[in-house]
Amino acid sequence: MSKPTLKSVAKALGVSTATISNAFNRPDQLSVALREKILTACATLGYDGPNKAAQSLRKGSSGIVAVILSDSLEYMVSDPVASQFLQGVARELERQQKHLLLFSGNSTNLDTITDFVDGFICYGAPRNLALIEQLRHCKKRVLTVDFDLPGRPSVNIDNEQAAYDSAMAVLKPDDIVAVLGLRLIDAPDSQPVGSAPMWDNQSSVSHRRLDGYQRAMEALGLTLGTDYLWHTPESNQEYAAKAAKAVLNQVPQPSVLLCMSDLIALSAMRVALQLGIRIPEQLRVVGFDGIEETLRYHPTLTSVWQFSDRKGEAAARAFQSGVDSCQLLPYELRLGESS
Amino acid sequence: MSKPTLKSVAKALGVSTATISNAFNRPDQLSVALREKILTACATLGYDGPNKAAQSLRKGSSGIVAVILSDSLEYMVSDPVASQFLQGVARELERQQKHLLLFSGNSTNLDTITDFVDGFICYGAPRNLALIEQLRHCKKRVLTVDFDLPGRPSVNIDNEQAAYDSAMAVLKPDDIVAVLGLRLIDAPDSQPVGSAPMWDNQSSVSHRRLDGYQRAMEALGLTLGTDYLWHTPESNQEYAAKAAKAVLNQVPQPSVLLCMSDLIALSAMRVALQLGIRIPEQLRVVGFDGIEETLRYHPTLTSVWQFSDRKGEAAARAFQSGVDSCQLLPYELRLGESS
DNA sequence: CTGTTAGCGCATTCAG
DNA sequence: CTGAATGCGCTAACAG
C-alpha cells in the first residue's frame, strides 16, 4: 500500500476531507471527541498529517528559511565567527519550529530554491554578485546581516564606531600603526593594498572598520604609511601570518597592529613572538570579532566582541517578526593583555 | 502585477501550457526556434521557469537532500571532523545541483520535512533515538554514515580494523595502556567507564574502535586495567584534558594513550607535556580521525586518517547513485612524532 | 459542527 | 508539434 493521503483517510473514516484537514490544522473547528477519534485513527492508518509539500503549495509558505552564506560552505564552516552565527540562527529557528537550508554564496541561481523557502537570511554580501541582484528583486522576505540592501531589513553592528573605539583604546601619539585588513581588494593572496582599487567600498564591513581606524588615527594625528595597510583574502592563519611577517619586518617596525579579525590577530601575535617581539611592550595588537580561542591564548587579545551567536538569533528573530527595520546590535570592547 | 505562472505566460504568448512546460523541461518536444522564442519571451516577462514547489508536488522530488546531524548543529559546526564531512557533502551536492537542508539530530519529528526532501543522509546515529525509529520506516531514501540501519545503504570505514592497526603500530610488550574513549557510556562528564553499562553497543563507532584496541592488546598479551578506560561525552579540549589528567596521574603511569579522536589526543598531549612527561620517550599517543591541526602541532600525532571530506563526497554520491550497498572507505595509518 | 467546491502551479497523458 | 483534461495533496470559503 502506498502512503495514505488526506483524501484516502477521509474516505476510510467516512468523513469529509475538510474535517481531516481541520483535525490537524484548526482544532477549534470540530468537537474534541471527533478530533481525538480522527487523530488516533490516523495514527493506526499510518497517516501522520497533511503532506507538507502540498501544504506549502497551497499556503505559500513552507517553514524553511534559507541562509545564504557569503562564501562557500567550505569556508564558512571552518570560520569560528560564521559558525557561531550559524549556531545562533539554528537555535532560534529551532525555537520557531522552522528549518534551515544552507545556500552557498557562490551559487548562481537563487530561483532553484526560492519557491521552496519562506525567505532568505543573507550573512555577508554573497561573493557572487549576481546573487545580490536576484535578492534585490526577490518577492520573498530577505534579511541581510553585515551589509545592507535597499529597502530590506538588516542586522548589523556599527563597524565604523567599533573599530574607532578599539583603535582609540590602544593608540598613543607616537605610534607606528599597521592594519591587517580582510578582503579589502580583489586579490587572491595577502599583499599591501597600495594603490589597488578598493573593493565594493560601500557594503563591506572591512571598509567600515578601516574608516573607523582612520578616524581614530586622524584624531591622534597619526597617519597610515603605504605598505602598512595589508589585504588578506581570508581570515585564516596562513594568509594572516604572511601579512604579519611582512609588516613586522618593515622599518620602522609597527608599534600597533590593528587586525580586522581575531583569527588574524592571533596569527599575527604568534608571528611577533616568534620574531622575539614582546607584547604589549614593543607591540600592541587589537583584534575584531570576539572568539573563544583568544581567551585561551596568551597574551589574551584586546578585541571588539560582537557576539555572533546572538547576532544569528537576532537575525532569525527579526526575519520571523516581519519587521522591516535595520537594527544595530551592541558590541563590547574588551581589553586584554595584548594592549 | 504578481509573479507570472506557467499558465499566465502561456496565455500571454498564445500557446498552450504544455508547450511552455516542454520548453523548459523537454527541449526535444518542440522546435529549436519556438523554444528559443519562448525562452526569451519568458525572460522579458520575468518568468524564470516552473514553480519548484509545484514541480516538486507533481514530480515527487525536490532536489533537496537533508543531512541529519547526530548532535545539535551547535556541536557539529565546532567539530573539525564533522565540518569536514559537511564540506564534502556540500561540494558533491553542489556538483549535482542539489540543495542541502541541515537537520539537527535532536529534533523530534522527521515528518516536518520528509515531504520536502528527496531523502536523508544521516551522519552518525542521531542523539534522539526516536529519529532512528522514524528513519527505519521512512519511505524516502535514507543513507547512513558511521552507523548502519537494516536494509539501508551506508558509508563507513572499518573502525575496528583501523583501531587495531593503530594500536598494533605503537604497542610494546610491557606497555601500560590507557584508552581515552568518546561517548562510551551515557554520562555527561568525563569519567572512568568502570562497570557502567555500555551505551548502544551495536552501532557506535566508539565501541568498534574499542574492540579494535582490545584485539590488539590481546594479541600482545596486554590488559586494560580498570580506571584506565575513560569516557568523554564530547570530543573537546576540556573533557579530554580532564580525562587525560586523571589517567596520567595514576600509578602505574600509562606508557601509551589510545585516543578515540585527534582532538582528544591533542588535548592529552598538552596535558602530558605540562606534567613534564616526554613524548614519545615516556608516553606514546595515538589519535583517530586525521585533522589538519595535528600537522601544525608538535609532536605530530600518530593517527588513523579517515578523510572525512571524501567520506562526505562519497556519501552524497552514493545517495544520488541509488545503489543500496554498504561501502567501506579506505583509511590510512599515519605515523607521527607522538609514537 | 460538517460536506462541497474551487483552486495553489504544474506535468503528463492523449487525441488531434 | 499542440491543446484540453486530469490529478499531485491540500486548504479556505461557503453553504448547509
Side-chain angles (χ1 to χ4, degrees):
Chain A
M1 94 232 162
S2 68
K3 216 180 173 193
T5 69
L6 200 159
K7 205 201 295 188
S8 76
V9 299
K11 192 157 47 180
L13 298 192
V15 299
S16 95
T17 59
T19 307
I20 306 291
S21 175
N22 284 333
F24 282 97
N25 300 316
R26 298 159 41 166
D28 52 310
Q29 298 295 300
L30 69 175
S31 69
V32 185
L34 179 56
R35 181 176 134 89
E36 208 53 47
K37 202 182 76 180
I38 289 180
L39 258 31
T40 60
C42 284
T44 66
L45 282 174
Y47 180 74
D48 39 37
N51 180 300
K52 306 294 179 193
Q55 214 164 28
S56 144
L57 177 60
R58 182 64 230 247
K59 307 218 253 204
S61 87
S62 64
I64 300 178
V65 177
V67 172
I68 303 188
L69 304 169
S70 57
D71 260 279
S72 64
L73 208 164
E74 192 136 4
Y75 170 66
M76 301 310 278
V77 143
S78 61
D79 179 41
V81 185
S83 300
Q84 251 200 302
F85 175 80
L86 236 35
Q87 284 173 33
V89 172
R91 195 152 49 216
E92 176 60 26
L93 249 33
E94 204 156 334
R95 226 171 266 141
Q96 297 173 16
Q97 308 250 58
K98 300 218 179 280
H99 297 289
L100 173 53
L101 179 64
L102 238 39
F103 194 75
S104 160
N106 41 31
S107 310
T108 45
N109 260 322
L110 215 55
D111 48 51
T112 53
I113 49 159
T114 41
D115 297 328
F116 289 123
V117 304
D118 293 344
F120 301 89
I121 293 176
C122 200
Y123 181 57
R127 177 168 293 255
N128 179 354
L129 299 178
L131 274 189
I132 298 190
E133 218 33 55
Q134 297 180 46
L135 283 167
R136 268 208 158 83
H137 305 117
C138 182
K139 298 283 185 194
K140 306 252 171 156
R141 182 162 178 79
V142 172
L143 179 139
T144 61
V145 178
D146 281 357
F147 77 114
D148 286 280
L149 236 38
R152 303 288 193 179
S154 69
V155 169
N156 274 285
I157 68 163
D158 187 340
N159 280 282
E160 201 271 349
Q161 185 64 38
Y164 172 85
D165 289 353
S166 69
M168 287 304 277
V170 302
L171 290 179
K172 297 179 182 170
D174 292 320
D175 273 327
I176 308 292
V177 182
V179 171
L180 298 189
L182 179 57
R183 264 175 251 154
L184 288 168
I185 57 177
D186 189 6
D189 198 1
S190 301
Q191 61 175 73
V193 168
S195 56
M198 288 286 187
W199 207 18
D200 68 342
N201 208 326
Q202 297 295 2
S203 57
S204 146
V205 291
S206 296
H207 288 94
R208 304 312 328 282
R209 291 178 194 172
L210 185 55
D211 291 345
Y213 292 152
Q214 272 168 335
R215 177 155 66 92
M217 291 178 65
E218 273 167 32
L220 291 170
L222 300 172
T223 56
L224 186 58
T226 321
D227 292 345
Y228 285 80
L229 170 58
W230 272 64
H231 155 84
T232 310
E234 279 182 24
S235 181
N236 79 18
Q237 197 141 206
E238 285 72 27
Y239 291 125
K242 182 174 174 184
K245 246 170 240 161
V247 148
L248 290 175
N249 280 318
Q250 267 160 202
V251 182
Q253 193 178 73
S255 60
V256 170
L257 240 40
L258 304 175
C259 304
M260 289 201 187
S261 85
D262 284 357
L263 242 31
I264 292 177
L266 278 178
S267 194
M269 289 204 290
R270 283 194 199 97
V271 168
L273 296 176
Q274 264 172 15
L275 294 175
I277 302 172
R278 278 172 304 135
I279 301 172
E281 294 80 4
Q282 296 170 276
L283 176 72
R284 275 154 283 139
V285 179
V286 184
F288 206 109
D289 285 337
I291 61 174
E292 293 286 329
E293 193 177 344
T294 65
L295 302 178
R296 289 194 289 270
Y297 185 84
H298 287 281
T300 54
L301 183 65
T302 292
S303 186
V304 172
W305 282 67
Q306 59 169 326
F307 314 107
S308 293
D309 50 344
R310 286 198 223 148
K311 189 151 74 170
E313 292 182 286
R317 248 193 320 270
F319 179 89
Q320 166 66 6
S321 77
V323 176
D324 271 5
S325 63
C326 295
Q327 54 179 304
L328 278 185
L329 260 32
Y331 58 87
E332 204 176 305
L333 178 63
R334 293 201 182 160
L335 302 177
E337 301 156 352
S338 71
S339 67
Chain B
M1 90 231 162
S2 68
K3 215 181 174 194
T5 69
L6 200 159
K7 205 202 295 191
S8 76
V9 298
K11 190 158 46 181
L13 298 190
V15 298
S16 98
T17 60
T19 307
I20 307 289
S21 174
N22 284 333
F24 281 96
N25 299 317
R26 296 161 38 166
D28 54 308
Q29 298 295 301
L30 69 174
S31 68
V32 184
L34 179 57
R35 182 175 133 87
E36 208 52 48
K37 201 182 79 182
I38 290 179
L39 256 34
T40 60
C42 285
T44 67
L45 282 174
Y47 179 74
D48 40 36
N51 180 299
K52 307 294 177 195
Q55 214 165 29
S56 143
L57 177 59
R58 181 63 230 251
K59 307 221 255 206
S61 86
S62 64
I64 301 177
V65 177
V67 171
I68 303 188
L69 303 170
S70 56
D71 260 280
S72 65
L73 208 161
E74 194 136 3
Y75 170 66
M76 300 309 279
V77 291
S78 62
D79 178 40
V81 185
S83 301
Q84 252 200 303
F85 174 81
L86 234 36
Q87 286 172 31
V89 172
R91 196 152 49 215
E92 175 59 26
L93 248 34
E94 204 156 332
R95 225 171 266 142
Q96 298 173 17
Q97 308 251 58
K98 301 221 177 280
H99 297 290
L100 173 53
L101 180 64
L102 237 40
F103 195 75
S104 160
N106 41 30
S107 311
T108 44
N109 259 320
L110 216 54
D111 48 49
T112 52
I113 48 160
T114 42
D115 297 327
F116 289 123
V117 304
D118 294 343
F120 302 89
I121 292 176
C122 201
Y123 181 57
R127 179 167 293 257
N128 179 353
L129 298 179
L131 275 189
I132 298 192
E133 220 30 58
Q134 296 180 46
L135 283 167
R136 269 208 158 81
H137 304 117
C138 183
K139 297 284 186 193
K140 306 250 172 161
R141 184 163 177 76
V142 173
L143 178 138
T144 61
V145 178
D146 282 356
F147 76 114
D148 286 279
L149 236 38
R152 303 288 193 178
S154 69
V155 168
N156 274 285
I157 67 164
D158 187 340
N159 281 281
E160 200 271 350
Q161 185 64 38
Y164 172 84
D165 289 353
S166 70
M168 286 306 276
V170 302
L171 291 180
K172 297 179 184 170
D174 292 321
D175 273 328
I176 308 293
V177 183
V179 171
L180 298 189
L182 178 57
R183 265 175 249 154
L184 288 168
I185 57 176
D186 189 7
D189 197 3
S190 300
Q191 61 175 72
V193 168
S195 56
M198 287 285 186
W199 207 16
D200 68 341
N201 207 326
Q202 297 294 1
S203 58
S204 147
V205 291
S206 296
H207 288 93
R208 303 314 327 282
R209 293 178 192 171
L210 184 55
D211 291 344
Y213 293 151
Q214 273 168 334
R215 178 156 64 93
M217 292 178 66
E218 274 167 33
L220 291 170
L222 301 171
T223 56
L224 186 59
T226 321
D227 291 348
Y228 285 81
L229 170 58
W230 271 65
H231 155 85
T232 312
E234 279 183 23
S235 181
N236 80 18
Q237 196 140 209
E238 286 71 26
Y239 290 125
K242 182 172 176 185
K245 246 169 240 162
V247 148
L248 290 174
N249 280 318
Q250 268 160 206
V251 182
Q253 195 180 72
S255 60
V256 170
L257 240 42
L258 304 175
C259 305
M260 289 202 188
S261 84
D262 284 357
L263 242 32
I264 292 176
L266 279 176
S267 193
M269 290 203 292
R270 284 195 198 97
V271 168
L273 295 175
Q274 266 173 14
L275 294 176
I277 302 173
R278 279 172 303 135
I279 300 174
E281 293 80 4
Q282 297 171 275
L283 177 72
R284 277 153 283 139
V285 180
V286 184
F288 206 108
D289 286 338
I291 62 176
E292 293 286 328
E293 194 177 345
T294 64
L295 302 178
R296 289 194 288 272
Y297 185 83
H298 287 280
T300 55
L301 183 64
T302 292
S303 186
V304 172
W305 282 66
Q306 57 169 328
F307 314 108
S308 293
D309 50 344
R310 287 198 222 148
K311 188 150 75 171
E313 293 182 286
R317 248 193 319 270
F319 179 89
Q320 166 66 6
S321 76
V323 176
D324 270 6
S325 63
C326 296
Q327 53 179 308
L328 279 184
L329 260 32
Y331 58 87
E332 203 177 304
L333 177 63
R334 292 201 182 161
L335 302 177
E337 300 156 351
S338 72
S339 67

